[in-house]
């Protein structure tokens, strides 16, 4: 591909100048429309060492209001970054609605370097490619413009540039070890890049190979591509996108209505006894997973007043406070709403050896956001798959994922609501919204049934906690957590 | 102090048990009040190695809803953390209103270890102490409860515990090199700690030395202290606090009305010429400060429509996009409003070698927040000093701070507002709020005069950019930036 890439034909100097000016003005005008239509743009600059990534980003941003873009540079992962899944640092830097994010190399660079340096074997490479394809698709599905540029120069040109940089002591530091390696093994590297392009060219996030020998000409190619892509995105802003078919193994599950809540209770004595022994066991397991550096994600969903808070407490009581965090999830704040709906979860993931407990989760997308119309039908229908993909990433990254649905019946909820209303210290726990949600019980039940059926993957299955007797639910939760952790320890 | 510390007298077993239960219940009840009154609580656990910090944090949080607290552990700074000012990582972890943050050692540990390991000399130690005193005071002034516990055990007890831990291979890893060092040089370390206590005991954030030989008794001491402190804080929640006198050297400055805006203009030709040469110079300086790892903060304030955006653009045009970030500052989001007003700036600081440009700043506290009543009079009156302290921290951390006030007169603003209103592509730049602010011009002018007079420190002085002719203001800004950078390069 690199060898035979069909470049556009470079125009004459005068024409180039005119066209460049026109595109620069166009971009300046388009940024306002992006802001107005709340479209986020992610621009990835990859390319050969010394192909001019930094310089070209510098040229492009001249045409954009500094408040509307940010630039990020990725280098070798720090020790801290290594403790999160592969996509974590990339997901964390996606732009907000209406803004640009320019990346000076990113996931392509990391993966291809891994291959060249023989740190990624074939199987791992494939896994990375899958992650990347899903990541990019999930962004474009959610209205992101994703632009991928590869700045291409020839072996000879690269050598010339590296030599030039090394001549002056002011620029010498810019030539890294890998740049020289790349140049010496140009063909071998090119083959890795070509393979990568083939593996990651998609209709919604294609690759653009840019002839980067001349800066001006490279800038023109980039601006024309960017402007065109942005215009297309603006036209398509309200279009729905295809809903991918689920491709993950699902386990069978019951409907909520078929789950018996009867006889799921414990005496106070049984409860105390089991609580103590399970908590002791969990404490010990927490220690071991800390040492083995396994990240754990525990997700709680359930009816209002089902007893999530008390259930979580029985888990955390036995954990070393330095090794876990509870994330209460409310409606998203403005800066969260302005990004992909999974962003606020990606940025709250536990590092290796830590436990993150989510009190309400990303499943809000297919429950409250669906029922209250906070997102489009296309959005929530797509979300089942996006969620399965998200959890697959976590699973592949070595995480244990435990998902709880805390189940009660409608009468029990009424009892608890009424008790909360009548007990002064508990009144803060009950709001008008809870009563309003209760009125939609049947709609919610339908949504929950669909949600569980579609996201009950074998690598991250749902566990139902029958919680008419809270003691029973707590013990069951502890048992499941202990069991799941034992599997990996 | 450690030697002669007057502990409370440990009660009999039965009494201890009763009191412990009472305090646990009290804390559980108080957390609701904290939430209601939006009081944040920062609890710092320091102490000898193996004194039981982790265990005791674990006991205390049993009584708190997991959604209301977070725990953080600080260890040796990573390379990344070293690129920010000393207080950065601590300021970043302060709790939100109504929530607890427990720290498993923090700034005391870092500073005393620095002294013990001879990495901090006397002068640096003093600087750290000053930073810490200001930090803690600024938190308590802003309604934070700051609790500092030191878990104390004897040399003998420590030795016994370390030996015990090392006996089992499951716990051996918990004994660090420094723990052993501490035990071997117990008296020497104790002297450093005692000096630290003396230096950082303050009326609003005193030290509590906890007899940590018995876990139960330690827990009781901690809970009693915490509960009492929280109750006091709740009673004082609406009290004003003393406004510290400015203790930083101020430079003289003019009132806005006395600044002549006449004859501050450039011809197009002069502008082009100077722009080009200054931008080239700045570009080169940016490179050098990147290599010298100096952080730079450029703060923009000014009248609406004074030309901040265009001015910033002329700066950023010459910068390497990988080395700067522009932070547009709007009204704070909920999670920002729930913390100290400087938190959102502390978390946006540039790392060494980078430039952060703030389009509006922390000075909002003494302008819009003051005039619109978004904070109390006591709050904004205190803020001048808090801001001077903040900038002092940055300055002491090696940062260059450049503050611009972009000045125009009232007529010029009207002209520009009208033009914006009448130009379709510029309409987004003008809102009803701008017109409302304009009506308060005189009040703002008074506030700005006071602000400049009180924060015109010699280490972070204000620069006025006369911007009736925007070209003039841009060149002046560039000249000042170049000049200030040259001073440190």
């Amino acid at each position: 591909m690199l060898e035979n890439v069909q470049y556009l034909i470079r125009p004459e100097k005068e024409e180039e100048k005119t066209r460049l000016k026109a595109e620069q003005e166009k971009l300046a005008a388009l940024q306002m429309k992006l802001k107005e239509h709340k479209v986020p743009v992610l621009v990835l600059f990859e390319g050969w060492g010394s192909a001019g990534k930094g310089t070209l980003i510098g040229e492009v941003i001249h045409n954009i209001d500094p408040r509307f873009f940010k630039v990020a540079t990725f280098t070798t992962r720090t020790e801290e970054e290594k403790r999160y899944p592969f996509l974590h640092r990339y997901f964390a830097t996606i732009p907000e609605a209406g803004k640009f994010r320019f990346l000076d190399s990113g996931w392509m660079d990391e993966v291809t370097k891994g291959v060249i340096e023989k740190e990624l074997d074939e199987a791992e490479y494939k896994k990375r490619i899958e992650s990347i394809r899903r990541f990019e698709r999930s962004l474009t599905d959610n209205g992101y413009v994703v632009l991928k540029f590869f700045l291409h120069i020839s072996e000879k040109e690269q050598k010339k540039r590296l030599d030039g940089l090394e001549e002056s002591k002011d620029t010498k530091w810019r030539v890294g070890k890998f740049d020289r390696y790349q140049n010496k093994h140009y063909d071998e590297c090119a083959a890795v890049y070509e393979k990568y392009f083939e593996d990651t060219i998609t209709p919604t996030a294609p690759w653009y190979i840019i002839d980067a020998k001349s800066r001006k000409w490279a800038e023109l190619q980039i601006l024309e591509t960017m402007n065109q892509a942005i215009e297309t995105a603006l036209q398509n802003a309200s279009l729905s996108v295809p809903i991918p078919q689920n491709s993950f193994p699902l386990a069978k599950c019951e409907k909520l209505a078929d789950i018996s809540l009867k006889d799921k209770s414990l005496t106070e004595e049984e409860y105390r006894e089991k609580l103590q022994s399970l908590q002791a066991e969990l404490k010990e397991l927490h220690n071991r997973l800390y040492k083995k550096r396994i990240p754990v994600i525990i997700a709680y969903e359930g009816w209002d007043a089902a007893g999530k808070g008390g259930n979580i407490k029985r888990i955390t009581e036995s954990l070393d406070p330095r090794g876990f965090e509870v994330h209460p999830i409310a409606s998203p704040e403005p800066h969260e709403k302005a990004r992909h709906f999974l962003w606020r979860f990606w940025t709250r993931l536990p590092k290796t050896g830590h436990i993150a407990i989510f009190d309400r989760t990303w499943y809000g997308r297919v429950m409250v956001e669906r029922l209250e119309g906070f997102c489009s039908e296309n959005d929530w229908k797509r979300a089942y798959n996006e969620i399965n993909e998200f959890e697959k990433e976590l699973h592949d990254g070595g995480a244990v994922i435990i998902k709880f649905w805390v189940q009660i019946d409608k009468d029990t909820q009424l009892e608890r609501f009424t008790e909360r209303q009548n007990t002064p210290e508990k009144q803060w726990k009950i709001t008008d919204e809870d009563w309003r949600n209760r009125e939609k019980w049947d709609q919610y039940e339908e949504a929950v049934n669909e949600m569980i059926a579609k996201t009950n993957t074998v690598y991250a299955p749902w566990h139902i906690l029958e919680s008419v007797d809270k003691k029973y639910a707590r013990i069951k939760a502890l048992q499941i957590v202990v069991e799941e952790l034992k599997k990996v320890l």
Side-chain angles (χ1 to χ4, degrees), chain A residues 138-163:
Chain A
S138 184
L139 288 178
T140 55
D141 277 1
N142 282 279
Y144 278 71
V145 177
V146 177
L147 282 158
K148 305 185 294 194
F149 294 116
F150 184 87
L151 305 188
H152 185 40
I153 49 174
S154 67
E155 182 179 353
K156 215 173 110 191
E157 175 71 17
Q158 190 186 30
K159 186 167 186 310
K160 202 176 93 190
R161 292 191 186 185
L162 295 177
D163 290 348

Side-chain angles (χ1 to χ4, degrees), chain A residues 5-230:
Chain A
V5 62
Q6 292 295 316
Y7 287 130
L8 300 170
I9 291 156
R10 188 175 180 184
E12 298 296 320
K13 253 212 174 125
E14 267 316 297
E15 192 198 328
E16 185 174 270
K17 214 171 149 186
T18 321
R19 271 166 62 184
L20 199 51
K21 193 151 179 282
E23 293 297 331
Q24 286 167 343
E25 281 164 11
K26 204 187 220 173
L27 180 57
L30 279 173
Q31 66 176 323
M32 291 303 142
K33 288 207 178 146
L34 281 173
K35 196 179 139 68
E36 189 187 326
H37 295 277
K38 299 191 174 165
V39 176
V41 183
L42 183 65
V43 193
L44 178 63
F45 278 78
E46 299 275 7
W48 295 96
S50 85
K53 294 191 288 283
T55 315
L56 275 159
I57 293 177
E59 292 299 330
V60 171
I61 60 174
H62 271 201
N63 312 296
I64 309 174
D65 187 311
R67 288 165 295 188
F68 297 164
F69 71 83
K70 289 198 191 295
V71 179
T73 316
F74 288 106
T75 49
T76 316
R77 256 166 222 264
T78 61
E79 284 309 310
E80 185 75 4
E81 284 170 338
K82 283 182 193 159
R83 298 184 67 179
Y84 291 96
F86 169 65
L87 287 179
H88 176 262
R89 64 175 185 167
Y90 302 121
F91 218 110
T93 52
I94 59 172
E96 285 184 88
K99 302 203 174 179
F100 290 85
R101 169 70 81 169
F102 294 92
L103 301 184
D104 185 345
S105 81
W107 42 100
M108 167 178 177
D109 186 54
E110 181 171 1
V111 168
T112 51
K113 205 179 255 170
V115 172
I116 291 166
E117 294 180 338
K118 311 239 170 354
E119 276 167 11
L120 275 186
D121 65 21
E122 183 65 22
E124 281 163 320
Y125 171 77
K126 272 199 178 147
K127 219 161 105 177
R128 290 277 181 272
I129 293 293
E130 264 183 54
S131 300
I132 289 165
R133 289 173 64 105
R134 285 184 200 135
F135 172 46
E136 293 179 354
R137 201 218 61 242
S138 184
L139 288 178
T140 55
D141 277 1
N142 282 279
Y144 278 71
V145 177
V146 177
L147 282 158
K148 305 185 294 194
F149 294 116
F150 184 87
L151 305 188
H152 185 40
I153 49 174
S154 67
E155 182 179 353
K156 215 173 110 191
E157 175 71 17
Q158 190 186 30
K159 186 167 186 310
K160 202 176 93 190
R161 292 191 186 185
L162 295 177
D163 290 348
L165 286 169
E166 279 193 334
E167 260 168 34
S168 152
K169 75 173 198 315
D170 276 350
T171 52
K172 208 175 156 180
W173 61 280
R174 285 168 172 264
V175 180
K177 239 184 181 173
F178 188 71
D179 295 322
R180 279 293 174 195
Y181 181 93
Q182 226 186 19
N183 192 246
K184 268 186 203 143
H185 305 79
Y186 188 92
D187 290 342
E188 180 200 319
C189 292
V192 174
Y193 300 152
E194 282 170 16
K195 174 97 176 62
Y196 181 88
F197 296 139
E198 273 167 39
D199 291 338
T200 57
I201 276 197
T202 59
T204 53
W207 272 103
Y208 298 100
I209 313 294
I210 302 295
D211 175 2
K213 196 173 172 189
S214 142
R215 210 199 59 199
K216 281 254 171 292
W217 171 225
E219 189 189 346
L220 179 55
Q221 296 168 75
I222 287 164
L223 286 177
E224 285 183 345
T225 313
M226 271 183 72
N227 286 335
Q228 202 195 33
I230 291 170

Side-chain angles (χ1 to χ4, degrees), chain A residues 336-366:
Chain A
E336 295 170 332
K337 216 180 287 182
R339 291 185 174 87
H340 190 292
F341 81 97
L342 290 173
W343 181 78
R344 61 178 177 147
F345 304 105
W346 270 104
T347 51
R348 281 177 171 87
L349 290 181
K351 55 183 164 187
T352 55
H354 285 244
I355 298 179
I357 300 177
F358 290 88
D359 184 357
R360 302 210 178 277
T361 69
W362 42 97
Y363 284 96
R365 186 72 159 186
V366 294

